Amino acid sequence: VWQKGIDGRGVTIALIDDGIDFKHADLRESFRKDLSFDFNRGTTLPIPERRKADHHGTRCAGQIVAKPNNGVCGVGIAPGASVSAIRILSNAVSSRNEAAAVVHRFHDNHIYSCSWGP
């Protein structure tokens, strides 16, 4: 697929999870703050709060968009894509914020990843 030039360019994947460490070297170039939201705190920056426990969203984002040749490690499935983060975990998850999360900025977020459940 990569040999055909298909690397995710022009696509934004929204990760509904526990936030993203968007300053990470594998993610900072691909992070879309404008399409992200933290439903736990009602802010636009979905920062993982519990560093030792809140890492699932960051790991998932890396598997998708990690850049090759950045000196960190590996390459993602779609290194040309962008990611946004929609944080609802690390707090009580209600049907209301779960429903809001799966449609947050749906005209701009092309794919939604919800690998923690429900």
Side-chain angles (χ1 to χ4, degrees), residues 83-100:
V83 290
S84 63
I86 301 170
R87 184 171 181 260
I88 63 171
L89 299 183
S90 304
N91 206 350
V93 178
S94 69
S95 295
R96 173 180 258 171
N97 66 6
E98 198 171 306

Side-chain angles (χ1 to χ4, degrees), residues 72-116:
V72 179
C73 178
V75 60
I77 297 163
S82 299
V83 290
S84 63
I86 301 170
R87 184 171 181 260
I88 63 171
L89 299 183
S90 304
N91 206 350
V93 178
S94 69
S95 295
R96 173 180 258 171
N97 66 6
E98 198 171 306
V102 298
V103 296
H104 180 74
R105 300 291 307 263
F106 70 91
H107 290 295
D108 302 305
N109 284 313
H110 304 110
I111 298 169
Y112 289 79
S113 173
C114 186
S115 63
W116 54 269

Side-chain angles (χ1 to χ4, degrees), residues 5-88:
I6 300 169
D7 68 354
R9 216 165 303 170
V11 175
T12 300
I13 298 101
L15 288 117
I16 302 173
D17 214 298
D18 58 9
I20 290 179
D21 179 4
F22 55 87
K23 293 180 181 179
H24 190 283
D26 277 336
L27 306 178
R28 64 176 161 241
E29 292 177 33
S30 304
F31 180 66
R32 295 284 309 264
K33 175 184 174 182
D34 60 318
L35 302 180
S36 299
F37 195 74
D38 187 331
F39 282 92
N40 288 353
R41 291 179 296 182
T43 65
T44 57
L45 283 178
I47 302 167
E49 289 178 4
R50 300 175 306 164
R51 292 284 176 200
K52 292 188 181 199
D54 292 345
H55 48 73
H56 190 258
T58 299
R59 267 197 255 161
C60 292
Q63 288 176 325
I64 297 167
V65 298
K67 303 293 183 220
N69 305 319
N70 67 357
V72 179
C73 178
V75 60
I77 297 163
S82 299
V83 290
S84 63
I86 301 170
R87 184 171 181 260
I88 63 171

